[in-house]
Amino acid sequence: MTDKILSVQEYVAMQPTLARRRNFMRAGMRGVFKLFTSINVTGTENIPASGGTIVMMNHISLLDPLLCMVVVKERFVVPMTKAENMGNPLFAPFIRWWGSYSVQRGEVDRTALTNSIELIKSGALILIAPEGTRQKDGLSQPKDGMTYIATKADAIILPTAISGAKDWQDNLKRFKRTQINVNFGRPFKFKTDGKPRVPREVLAQMTDEAMYQLAAAVKDESMRGLYSDLNKATTQYLEFVNI
């Protein structure tokens, strides 16, 4: 890919042309991961075969987006990455070749929001970490950006929980293989009752309900963080999807 700034329409239209490149890159990543990790994947029956979907990921390590891109085999995961990575000489070439898109953290990035919404409407599978940054001590308070995108695009949300990856760098130094689990929880949509605009307080409640679903998918109970008490989970605004 070049550094040309693409319109939303151009970016969405180019997705099918990246399939061959992504297949090659995904195979390479799998080979690399086999060298220093052992990945157990559960809940794959919950991955939608088609349709606009958000992979809602907990974020505990640098590896997390790559893990999601590798273990989803029948579709391509399109990750949202922080804008700083586009200037990183190590990561930027990979990000551009895969066809990822960036988001400016700490502000309302309308371009990233629009890209996300239009990708989902086109049937893509995009990756979002609702907390925005890595949380090594467990789930923390997220932002409402993912929920806003999902309600605008009528997205299926796939809770995707990663356990065991946070110590991979220490293990690598000791030549120890890292045991990682990626678990896909029950997919769902948000209930909006056809309303084009969801009030801010309702968005916040939707986000909390989604986070409890993500917590339920986390195998390591110590990493559920703020959402550890699953008895507090509600589903007032959730509609579970049969795959």
Side-chain angles (χ1 to χ4, degrees), residues 30 33-34 37-47 55 64 66-74 77 158-163 178-185 217 219:
R30 284 177 185 152
F33 272 122
K34 286 180 180 180
T37 68
S38 177
I39 305 173
N40 180 48
V41 185
T42 52
T44 54
E45 69 277 5
N46 290 322
I47 302 174
V55 174
D64 302 337
L66 302 177
L67 288 165
C68 292
M69 293 157 70
V70 164
V71 301
V72 177
K73 298 180 179 179
E74 303 302 325
V77 174
L158 179 65
T160 304
I162 298 168
S163 300
T178 300
Q179 305 294 320
I180 298 173
N181 178 263
V182 182
N183 181 47
F184 297 101
K219 294 285 189 179

Side-chain angles (χ1 to χ4, degrees), residues 149-213:
I149 291 167
T151 57
K152 289 294 184 182
D154 192 31
I156 298 171
I157 299 171
L158 179 65
T160 304
I162 298 168
S163 300
K166 70 175 183 176
D167 297 325
W168 73 273
Q169 290 172 304
D170 292 335
N171 290 338
L172 187 61
K173 293 175 184 177
R174 298 195 298 266
F175 301 101
K176 179 181 178 182
R177 189 178 294 272
T178 300
Q179 305 294 320
I180 298 173
N181 178 263
V182 182
N183 181 47
F184 297 101
R186 294 178 66 190
F188 60 89
K189 287 187 174 186
F190 289 119
K191 298 177 185 176
T192 62
D193 297 325
K195 297 176 182 177
R197 180 179 173 82
V198 178
R200 186 180 296 273
E201 61 273 14
V202 176
L203 275 180
Q205 188 170 345
M206 287 176 166
T207 301
D208 267 348
E209 290 191 346
M211 289 299 291
Y212 275 111
Q213 294 303 312

Side-chain angles (χ1 to χ4, degrees), residues 100-120:
S100 307
Y101 63 110
S102 64
V103 59
Q104 295 284 351
R105 295 193 303 177
E107 61 183 74
V108 178
D109 188 336
R110 299 196 180 281
T111 298
L113 290 175
T114 302
N115 279 340
S116 300
I117 292 167
E118 294 305 317
L119 279 168
I120 293 167

Side-chain angles (χ1 to χ4, degrees), residues 62 80-93 95-96:
L62 183 68
M80 178 191 290
T81 185
K82 62 182 180 181
E84 297 93 317
N85 285 338
M86 291 300 193
N88 185 304
L90 182 62
F91 300 127
I95 292 168
R96 290 191 175 94

Side-chain angles (χ1 to χ4, degrees), residues 10-25:
E10 289 174 325
Y11 181 66
V12 171
M14 74 178 293
Q15 294 304 306
T17 69
L18 299 173
R20 184 175 180 180
R21 180 187 300 175
R22 286 172 172 169
N23 265 324
F24 175 78
M25 295 175 71

